[in-house]
Amino acid sequence: MWILGITETISNRIILYPVEDRKSGTLLPIIEKHAAKGSRIMTDCWGAYNQLNKMGYEHFSVNHKTGFAQEFVSSTGEK
């Protein structure tokens, strides 16, 4: 069993979803349920998340093979 975790940065609320698989058809509807379009979403490099920018989110990802933490810079230059 896999767990999809979502942290709401404003409320610091953590939402955990047990999921049967990590396919985009499973994960993306859950994200859409909890994140408004335009929200900043930070994930790992799992391919299921590749569509998030096209779906209207500001998506950043970190590659855990090259580093566990990464500094994100938005399109406005915010770090």
Side-chain angles (χ1 to χ4, degrees):
M1 178 179 291
W2 298 96
I3 302 292
L4 172 64
I6 300 171
T7 303
E8 294 178 342
T9 55
I10 293 172
S11 67
N12 285 328
R13 185 172 85 151
I14 297 172
I15 303 164
L16 301 174
Y17 275 92
V19 293
E20 293 293 323
D21 58 58
R22 299 182 298 159
K23 296 176 183 175
S24 60
T26 301
L27 302 179
L28 297 180
I30 296 170
I31 293 169
E32 285 184 297
K33 180 178 178 179
H34 292 282
K37 300 294 182 188
S39 294
R40 184 173 299 151
I41 298 178
M42 297 175 197
T43 70
D44 59 12
C45 287
W46 186 248
Y49 303 123
N50 289 345
Q51 302 172 48
L52 287 170
N53 280 320
K54 291 178 185 175
M55 293 171 61
Y57 298 102
E58 189 177 2
H59 178 229
F60 297 93
S61 59
V62 62
N63 185 342
H64 293 303
K65 289 181 181 179
T66 59
F68 191 76
Q70 182 176 335
E71 182 176 77
F72 294 100
V73 180
S74 75
S75 58
T76 62
E78 179 184 0
K79 294 183 181 183

Coordinates of all heavy atoms in Angstrom, one line a residue:
M1 N 0.8 -1.2 0.0 CA 0.0 0.0 0.0 C 0.9 1.2 0.0 O 1.9 1.3 0.7 CB -0.9 0.0 1.2 CG -1.8 1.2 1.3 SD -2.9 1.3 2.7 CE -4.0 0.0 2.3
W2 N 0.5 2.2 -0.7 CA 1.2 3.5 -0.8 C 0.4 4.6 -0.1 O -0.8 4.5 0.1 CB 1.3 3.9 -2.3 CG 2.1 3.0 -3.1 CD1 1.6 2.0 -3.9 CD2 3.5 2.9 -3.2 NE1 2.7 1.3 -4.5 CE2 3.8 1.9 -4.1 CE3 4.6 3.7 -2.6 CZ2 5.1 1.5 -4.4 CZ3 5.9 3.3 -3.0 CH2 6.1 2.3 -3.8
I3 N 1.1 5.6 0.4 CA 0.4 6.7 1.1 C 0.8 8.0 0.3 O 1.9 8.3 0.1 CB 0.9 6.9 2.5 CG1 0.6 5.6 3.3 CG2 0.3 8.1 3.2 CD1 -0.8 5.3 3.5
L4 N -0.3 8.8 -0.1 CA -0.1 10.1 -0.6 C -0.3 11.1 0.5 O -1.3 11.1 1.2 CB -1.1 10.4 -1.8 CG -1.1 11.8 -2.3 CD1 0.3 12.2 -2.9 CD2 -2.2 12.0 -3.3
G5 N 0.8 11.9 0.8 CA 0.7 12.9 1.9 C 0.6 14.3 1.3 O 1.3 14.6 0.4
I6 N -0.3 15.1 1.8 CA -0.4 16.5 1.4 C -0.3 17.3 2.7 O -0.9 17.1 3.7 CB -1.8 16.7 0.8 CG1 -2.0 15.8 -0.5 CG2 -2.0 18.2 0.5 CD1 -3.4 15.8 -1.0
T7 N 0.5 18.4 2.6 CA 0.6 19.3 3.7 C 0.1 20.7 3.2 O 0.5 21.2 2.2 CB 2.1 19.5 4.2 OG1 2.6 18.3 4.5 CG2 2.2 20.5 5.3
E8 N -0.9 21.2 3.9 CA -1.4 22.6 3.7 C -0.6 23.5 4.4 O -0.5 23.5 5.6 CB -2.9 22.7 4.1 CG -3.8 21.8 3.3 CD -5.3 21.9 3.8 OE1 -5.5 22.4 4.9 OE2 -6.1 21.5 3.0
T9 N 0.2 24.4 3.7 CA 1.2 25.2 4.4 C 0.5 26.3 5.2 O 1.1 26.8 6.2 CB 2.1 25.9 3.3 OG1 1.4 26.5 2.3 CG2 3.0 24.8 2.7
I10 N -0.7 26.8 4.8 CA -1.3 27.8 5.6 C -1.8 27.3 7.0 O -1.6 27.9 8.0 CB -2.5 28.5 4.8 CG1 -1.9 29.2 3.6 CG2 -3.3 29.4 5.7 CD1 -3.0 29.7 2.7
S11 N -2.4 26.1 7.0 CA -3.0 25.6 8.2 C -2.1 24.6 8.9 O -2.3 24.2 10.0 CB -4.3 24.9 7.9 OG -4.1 23.7 7.1
N12 N -1.0 24.1 8.2 CA -0.1 23.1 8.7 C -0.9 21.8 8.9 O -0.4 20.9 9.6 CB 0.6 23.5 10.0 CG 1.7 24.4 9.7 OD1 2.3 24.4 8.6 ND2 2.0 25.3 10.6
R13 N -2.0 21.6 8.2 CA -2.8 20.4 8.3 C -2.1 19.4 7.4 O -1.7 19.7 6.3 CB -4.2 20.7 7.9 CG -5.1 19.5 8.0 CD -6.6 19.9 7.8 NE -6.8 19.8 6.4 CZ -8.0 19.6 5.8 NH1 -9.0 19.4 6.6 NH2 -8.1 19.5 4.5
I14 N -2.1 18.1 7.8 CA -1.5 17.0 7.0 C -2.6 16.1 6.7 O -3.4 15.7 7.5 CB -0.4 16.3 7.8 CG1 0.7 17.2 8.1 CG2 0.1 15.1 7.0 CD1 1.8 16.7 9.0
I15 N -2.7 15.8 5.4 CA -3.7 14.9 4.9 C -3.0 13.6 4.3 O -2.1 13.8 3.5 CB -4.6 15.5 3.8 CG1 -5.2 16.8 4.3 CG2 -5.6 14.6 3.3 CD1 -5.7 17.7 3.3
L16 N -3.4 12.4 4.7 CA -2.8 11.2 4.3 C -3.9 10.4 3.6 O -5.0 10.2 4.1 CB -2.2 10.4 5.4 CG -1.1 11.2 6.2 CD1 -0.7 10.3 7.4 CD2 0.1 11.5 5.4
Y17 N -3.6 9.9 2.4 CA -4.4 9.0 1.6 C -3.8 7.7 1.3 O -2.7 7.7 0.7 CB -4.8 9.7 0.3 CG -5.9 10.6 0.3 CD1 -5.7 12.0 0.5 CD2 -7.2 10.2 0.1 CE1 -6.8 12.9 0.5 CE2 -8.3 11.1 0.1 CZ -8.0 12.4 0.3 OH -9.1 13.3 0.3
P18 N -4.3 6.6 1.8 CA -3.8 5.3 1.3 C -4.3 5.1 -0.1 O -5.4 5.3 -0.4 CB -4.4 4.3 2.3 CG -5.5 5.0 3.0 CD -5.3 6.5 2.8
V19 N -3.4 4.7 -1.0 CA -3.7 4.5 -2.4 C -3.2 3.2 -2.9 O -2.2 2.7 -2.4 CB -3.1 5.7 -3.3 CG1 -3.8 7.0 -3.0 CG2 -1.6 5.8 -3.2
E20 N -3.9 2.6 -3.8 CA -3.6 1.3 -4.3 C -2.3 1.3 -5.3 O -1.6 0.3 -5.4 CB -4.7 0.7 -5.1 CG -5.9 0.4 -4.2 CD -5.7 -0.8 -3.3 OE1 -4.9 -1.7 -3.6 OE2 -6.1 -0.7 -2.1
D21 N -2.1 2.4 -5.9 CA -1.0 2.6 -6.9 C -0.6 4.0 -6.9 O -1.2 4.9 -6.3 CB -1.4 2.0 -8.3 CG -2.6 2.7 -8.9 OD1 -2.5 4.0 -9.0 OD2 -3.6 2.1 -9.2
R22 N 0.5 4.3 -7.7 CA 1.0 5.7 -7.8 C 0.8 6.2 -9.2 O 1.5 7.1 -9.6 CB 2.5 5.7 -7.5 CG 2.8 5.2 -6.0 CD 4.2 5.2 -5.7 NE 5.0 4.3 -6.5 CZ 6.3 4.4 -6.7 NH1 7.0 5.4 -6.2 NH2 6.9 3.6 -7.5
K23 N -0.2 5.8 -9.9 CA -0.5 6.2 -11.3 C -1.1 7.6 -11.2 O -1.8 8.0 -10.2 CB -1.5 5.3 -12.0 CG -0.9 3.9 -12.2 CD -2.0 3.0 -12.8 CE -1.4 1.6 -12.9 NZ -2.4 0.7 -13.4
S24 N -0.9 8.4 -12.3 CA -1.5 9.8 -12.3 C -3.0 9.8 -12.2 O -3.5 10.7 -11.5 CB -1.0 10.5 -13.6 OG -1.5 9.8 -14.7
G25 N -3.7 8.8 -12.7 CA -5.1 8.7 -12.6 C -5.6 8.5 -11.2 O -6.7 8.8 -10.8
T26 N -4.7 8.0 -10.3 CA -5.0 7.9 -8.9 C -4.6 9.1 -8.1 O -5.4 9.6 -7.3 CB -4.2 6.6 -8.3 OG1 -4.6 5.5 -9.1 CG2 -4.5 6.4 -6.8
L27 N -3.4 9.6 -8.3 CA -2.9 10.7 -7.5 C -3.5 12.1 -7.9 O -3.8 12.9 -7.0 CB -1.4 10.8 -7.6 CG -0.6 9.5 -7.2 CD1 0.9 9.6 -7.4 CD2 -1.0 9.1 -5.8
L28 N -3.6 12.4 -9.2 CA -4.0 13.7 -9.6 C -5.4 14.1 -9.1 O -5.6 15.3 -8.7 CB -3.8 13.9 -11.1 CG -2.4 13.8 -11.6 CD1 -2.3 14.0 -13.1 CD2 -1.4 14.7 -10.9
P29 N -6.4 13.3 -9.2 CA -7.7 13.7 -8.6 C -7.7 14.0 -7.2 O -8.4 14.9 -6.7 CB -8.6 12.4 -8.9 CG -7.9 11.7 -10.1 CD -6.5 12.0 -9.9
I30 N -6.8 13.4 -6.4 CA -6.7 13.7 -5.0 C -6.1 15.1 -4.8 O -6.6 15.9 -4.0 CB -5.9 12.6 -4.2 CG1 -6.6 11.2 -4.3 CG2 -5.6 13.0 -2.8 CD1 -5.8 10.1 -3.8
I31 N -5.1 15.4 -5.6 CA -4.5 16.7 -5.5 C -5.5 17.7 -5.9 O -5.6 18.8 -5.3 CB -3.2 16.7 -6.4 CG1 -2.1 15.8 -5.8 CG2 -2.7 18.2 -6.6 CD1 -0.9 15.6 -6.7
E32 N -6.2 17.5 -7.0 CA -7.2 18.5 -7.4 C -8.3 18.7 -6.4 O -8.8 19.8 -6.3 CB -7.9 18.0 -8.7 CG -7.0 18.1 -9.9 CD -7.8 17.7 -11.2 OE1 -8.2 16.6 -11.3 OE2 -7.9 18.6 -12.1
K33 N -8.6 17.7 -5.6 CA -9.6 17.9 -4.5 C -9.2 18.8 -3.4 O -10.0 19.5 -2.8 CB -9.9 16.5 -3.9 CG -10.9 16.5 -2.8 CD -11.2 15.1 -2.3 CE -12.2 15.1 -1.2 NZ -12.5 13.8 -0.7
H34 N -7.8 18.9 -3.2 CA -7.3 19.6 -2.1 C -6.5 20.9 -2.4 O -6.3 21.7 -1.5 CB -6.4 18.7 -1.2 CG -7.2 17.6 -0.5 ND1 -8.0 17.9 0.6 CD2 -7.4 16.3 -0.8 CE1 -8.6 16.8 1.0 NE2 -8.2 15.8 0.2
A35 N -6.1 21.0 -3.7 CA -5.3 22.2 -4.0 C -6.0 23.0 -5.1 O -6.4 22.5 -6.2 CB -3.9 21.7 -4.6
A36 N -6.1 24.3 -4.8 CA -6.7 25.2 -5.8 C -5.8 25.4 -7.0 O -4.5 25.4 -6.8 CB -7.0 26.5 -5.1
K37 N -6.3 25.7 -8.2 CA -5.5 26.0 -9.3 C -4.6 27.2 -9.0 O -5.0 28.1 -8.3 CB -6.3 26.3 -10.6 CG -7.2 25.1 -11.0 CD -6.4 24.0 -11.5 CE -7.4 22.9 -11.9 NZ -6.8 21.6 -12.2
G38 N -3.4 27.2 -9.4 CA -2.4 28.2 -9.1 C -1.6 28.0 -7.8 O -0.7 28.7 -7.5
S39 N -2.0 26.9 -7.1 CA -1.3 26.6 -5.8 C 0.1 26.1 -6.2 O 0.4 25.5 -7.3 CB -2.0 25.4 -5.1 OG -3.2 25.9 -4.6
R40 N 1.0 26.3 -5.3 CA 2.4 25.8 -5.5 C 2.5 24.4 -4.9 O 2.2 24.2 -3.7 CB 3.4 26.8 -4.7 CG 4.8 26.4 -4.9 CD 5.7 27.5 -4.3 NE 5.4 28.7 -4.9 CZ 5.6 29.9 -4.3 NH1 6.0 30.0 -3.1 NH2 5.3 31.0 -5.0
I41 N 2.9 23.5 -5.7 CA 3.0 22.1 -5.3 C 4.4 21.6 -5.5 O 5.0 21.8 -6.5 CB 2.0 21.2 -6.1 CG1 0.6 21.7 -5.9 CG2 2.2 19.7 -5.8 CD1 -0.4 20.9 -6.7
M42 N 5.0 21.0 -4.4 CA 6.3 20.5 -4.4 C 6.3 19.0 -4.2 O 5.7 18.5 -3.3 CB 7.1 21.2 -3.3 CG 7.3 22.7 -3.5 SD 8.1 23.5 -2.2 CE 7.6 25.2 -2.5
T43 N 6.9 18.3 -5.2 CA 6.9 16.8 -5.1 C 8.3 16.3 -5.4 O 9.2 17.0 -5.7 CB 5.9 16.3 -6.2 OG1 6.5 16.5 -7.5 CG2 4.6 16.9 -6.1
D44 N 8.4 15.0 -5.4 CA 9.6 14.3 -5.9 C 9.4 14.2 -7.4 O 8.5 14.8 -8.0 CB 9.8 13.0 -5.3 CG 8.7 12.0 -5.5 OD1 7.8 12.2 -6.3 OD2 8.7 11.0 -4.8
C45 N 10.3 13.5 -8.1 CA 10.3 13.5 -9.6 C 9.4 12.4 -10.2 O 9.6 12.0 -11.3 CB 11.7 13.4 -10.1 SG 12.6 14.9 -10.0
W46 N 8.6 11.8 -9.4 CA 7.7 10.7 -9.9 C 6.9 11.2 -11.1 O 6.3 12.2 -11.1 CB 6.8 10.2 -8.8 CG 6.0 9.0 -9.1 CD1 4.7 8.9 -9.3 CD2 6.5 7.7 -9.4 NE1 4.3 7.7 -9.7 CE2 5.4 6.9 -9.8 CE3 7.8 7.1 -9.4 CZ2 5.5 5.6 -10.1 CZ3 7.9 5.8 -9.7 CH2 6.8 5.0 -10.1
G47 N 6.9 10.4 -12.2 CA 6.3 10.8 -13.4 C 4.8 11.1 -13.4 O 4.3 11.9 -14.2
A48 N 4.1 10.6 -12.4 CA 2.7 10.9 -12.3 C 2.4 12.4 -12.1 O 1.3 12.8 -12.4 CB 2.1 10.1 -11.2
Y49 N 3.4 13.1 -11.6 CA 3.2 14.5 -11.3 C 3.5 15.4 -12.5 O 3.3 16.6 -12.4 CB 4.1 14.9 -10.1 CG 3.8 14.1 -8.8 CD1 4.9 13.5 -8.2 CD2 2.6 14.1 -8.3 CE1 4.7 12.8 -7.1 CE2 2.3 13.3 -7.1 CZ 3.4 12.7 -6.5 OH 3.2 12.0 -5.4
N50 N 4.0 14.9 -13.6 CA 4.5 15.7 -14.7 C 3.4 16.6 -15.3 O 3.8 17.6 -15.9 CB 5.0 14.8 -15.8 CG 6.4 14.2 -15.4 OD1 7.0 14.6 -14.5 ND2 6.8 13.2 -16.2
Q51 N 2.2 16.3 -15.1 CA 1.1 17.1 -15.7 C 0.6 18.3 -14.9 O -0.2 19.1 -15.3 CB -0.1 16.2 -16.0 CG 0.1 15.0 -16.9 CD -1.0 14.1 -16.9 OE1 -2.2 14.5 -17.1 NE2 -0.8 12.8 -16.7
L52 N 1.2 18.4 -13.7 CA 0.7 19.5 -12.7 C 0.8 20.9 -13.3 O -0.2 21.7 -13.1 CB 1.3 19.3 -11.4 CG 0.9 18.1 -10.6 CD1 1.8 17.9 -9.3 CD2 -0.6 18.2 -10.1
N53 N 1.9 21.2 -13.9 CA 2.0 22.6 -14.5 C 0.9 22.8 -15.6 O 0.2 23.9 -15.6 CB 3.3 22.8 -15.1 CG 4.4 23.2 -14.0 OD1 4.1 23.9 -13.1 ND2 5.6 22.6 -14.2
K54 N 0.7 21.8 -16.4 CA -0.4 22.0 -17.5 C -1.8 22.0 -16.9 O -2.7 22.6 -17.5 CB -0.3 20.8 -18.4 CG 1.0 20.8 -19.3 CD 1.0 19.5 -20.2 CE 2.4 19.5 -20.9 NZ 2.5 18.3 -21.7
M55 N -1.9 21.5 -15.7 CA -3.2 21.5 -15.0 C -3.5 22.8 -14.3 O -4.6 23.0 -13.7 CB -3.3 20.3 -14.0 CG -3.3 19.0 -14.7 SD -3.1 17.6 -13.6 CE -4.6 17.8 -12.6
G56 N -2.5 23.7 -14.3 CA -2.8 25.0 -13.7 C -2.1 25.2 -12.3 O -2.4 26.2 -11.6
Y57 N -1.2 24.3 -12.0 CA -0.5 24.5 -10.7 C 0.9 25.0 -10.9 O 1.4 24.9 -12.1 CB -0.4 23.1 -10.0 CG -1.8 22.6 -9.6 CD1 -2.4 21.6 -10.3 CD2 -2.5 23.1 -8.5 CE1 -3.6 21.1 -10.0 CE2 -3.7 22.6 -8.2 CZ -4.3 21.6 -9.0 OH -5.5 21.1 -8.6
E58 N 1.5 25.5 -9.9 CA 2.9 25.9 -10.0 C 3.7 24.7 -9.4 O 3.8 24.6 -8.1 CB 3.2 27.2 -9.2 CG 4.5 27.8 -9.4 CD 4.7 29.1 -8.7 OE1 3.8 29.6 -8.0 OE2 5.8 29.7 -8.9
H59 N 4.2 23.9 -10.2 CA 4.8 22.6 -9.8 C 6.3 22.7 -9.7 O 7.0 23.1 -10.7 CB 4.4 21.5 -10.7 CG 5.0 20.1 -10.3 ND1 5.6 19.3 -11.2 CD2 5.1 19.5 -9.1 CE1 6.0 18.2 -10.6 NE2 5.7 18.3 -9.4
F60 N 6.9 22.3 -8.6 CA 8.4 22.1 -8.5 C 8.6 20.7 -8.0 O 7.8 20.1 -7.3 CB 8.9 23.1 -7.4 CG 8.7 24.6 -7.8 CD1 7.6 25.2 -7.3 CD2 9.6 25.2 -8.5 CE1 7.4 26.6 -7.6 CE2 9.5 26.6 -8.8 CZ 8.3 27.2 -8.4
S61 N 9.8 20.2 -8.4 CA 10.1 18.8 -8.0 C 11.6 18.8 -7.6 O 12.4 19.5 -8.1 CB 9.8 17.8 -9.1 OG 10.5 18.1 -10.2
V62 N 11.9 17.8 -6.7 CA 13.2 17.6 -6.3 C 13.6 16.1 -6.7 O 12.8 15.2 -6.6 CB 13.4 17.8 -4.8 CG1 12.5 16.9 -4.0 CG2 14.9 17.7 -4.4
N63 N 14.8 16.0 -7.2 CA 15.3 14.7 -7.6 C 16.1 14.1 -6.4 O 17.2 14.6 -6.2 CB 16.1 14.8 -8.9 CG 16.6 13.4 -9.4 OD1 16.6 12.4 -8.7 ND2 17.0 13.4 -10.6
H64 N 15.6 13.1 -5.8 CA 16.2 12.6 -4.6 C 17.5 11.8 -4.9 O 18.3 11.6 -4.0 CB 15.3 11.7 -3.8 CG 14.1 12.4 -3.2 ND1 14.3 13.4 -2.3 CD2 12.8 12.3 -3.3 CE1 13.1 13.9 -1.9 NE2 12.2 13.2 -2.5
K65 N 17.7 11.5 -6.2 CA 19.0 10.8 -6.6 C 20.1 11.8 -6.5 O 21.3 11.4 -6.4 CB 18.8 10.2 -8.0 CG 17.9 9.0 -8.0 CD 17.9 8.5 -9.4 CE 16.9 7.3 -9.4 NZ 16.8 6.7 -10.8
T66 N 19.9 13.1 -6.8 CA 20.9 14.1 -6.8 C 21.0 15.0 -5.5 O 22.0 15.6 -5.3 CB 20.8 15.0 -8.0 OG1 19.5 15.7 -8.0 CG2 20.9 14.2 -9.3
G67 N 19.9 15.0 -4.7 CA 19.9 15.7 -3.5 C 18.6 15.6 -2.8 O 17.5 15.5 -3.5
F68 N 18.6 15.6 -1.5 CA 17.4 15.4 -0.8 C 16.6 16.8 -0.7 O 15.4 16.8 -0.7 CB 17.6 14.8 0.6 CG 16.3 14.4 1.3 CD1 15.7 13.3 0.9 CD2 15.8 15.2 2.3 CE1 14.5 12.9 1.5 CE2 14.6 14.9 2.9 CZ 13.9 13.7 2.5
A69 N 17.3 17.8 -0.6 CA 16.7 19.2 -0.4 C 17.2 20.0 -1.6 O 18.3 19.9 -2.1 CB 17.1 19.8 0.9
Q70 N 16.3 20.9 -2.0 CA 16.6 21.8 -3.1 C 16.0 23.2 -2.9 O 14.9 23.2 -2.3 CB 16.1 21.2 -4.4 CG 16.4 21.9 -5.7 CD 15.9 21.2 -6.9 OE1 15.7 20.0 -6.9 NE2 15.6 21.9 -7.9
E71 N 16.6 24.2 -3.3 CA 16.0 25.5 -3.2 C 15.1 25.8 -4.4 O 15.6 25.6 -5.5 CB 17.1 26.6 -3.1 CG 16.6 28.0 -3.0 CD 17.6 29.1 -2.8 OE1 18.3 29.4 -3.8 OE2 17.9 29.5 -1.7
F72 N 13.9 26.1 -4.1 CA 13.0 26.4 -5.2 C 12.9 27.9 -5.4 O 12.8 28.7 -4.5 CB 11.6 25.9 -4.8 CG 11.5 24.4 -4.7 CD1 11.5 23.8 -3.5 CD2 11.4 23.6 -5.8 CE1 11.5 22.4 -3.4 CE2 11.3 22.2 -5.8 CZ 11.4 21.6 -4.5
V73 N 12.8 28.3 -6.7 CA 12.7 29.7 -7.1 C 11.5 29.8 -8.0 O 11.4 29.1 -9.0 CB 14.0 30.2 -7.8 CG1 13.8 31.7 -8.2 CG2 15.2 30.0 -6.9
S74 N 10.5 30.6 -7.6 CA 9.3 30.8 -8.4 C 9.6 31.6 -9.6 O 10.6 32.2 -9.8 CB 8.2 31.4 -7.6 OG 8.4 32.7 -7.4
S75 N 8.6 31.7 -10.5 CA 8.7 32.6 -11.7 C 8.9 34.0 -11.3 O 9.3 34.8 -12.1 CB 7.5 32.4 -12.6 OG 6.3 32.7 -11.9
T76 N 8.5 34.5 -10.1 CA 8.7 35.8 -9.7 C 10.0 36.1 -9.0 O 10.3 37.1 -8.5 CB 7.5 36.3 -8.7 OG1 7.5 35.4 -7.6 CG2 6.2 36.1 -9.4
G77 N 10.8 35.0 -8.8 CA 12.1 35.1 -8.2 C 12.0 34.8 -6.7 O 13.0 34.8 -6.0
E78 N 10.8 34.5 -6.2 CA 10.7 34.2 -4.7 C 11.4 32.8 -4.4 O 11.2 31.9 -5.2 CB 9.2 34.1 -4.4 CG 8.9 33.8 -2.9 CD 7.4 33.6 -2.7 OE1 6.6 33.7 -3.6 OE2 7.1 33.3 -1.5
K79 N 12.1 32.8 -3.3 CA 12.8 31.6 -2.9 C 12.0 30.9 -1.8 O 11.4 31.5 -1.0 CB 14.2 31.9 -2.4 CG 15.1 32.4 -3.5 CD 16.5 32.6 -3.0 CE 17.4 33.2 -4.1 NZ 18.7 33.3 -3.7

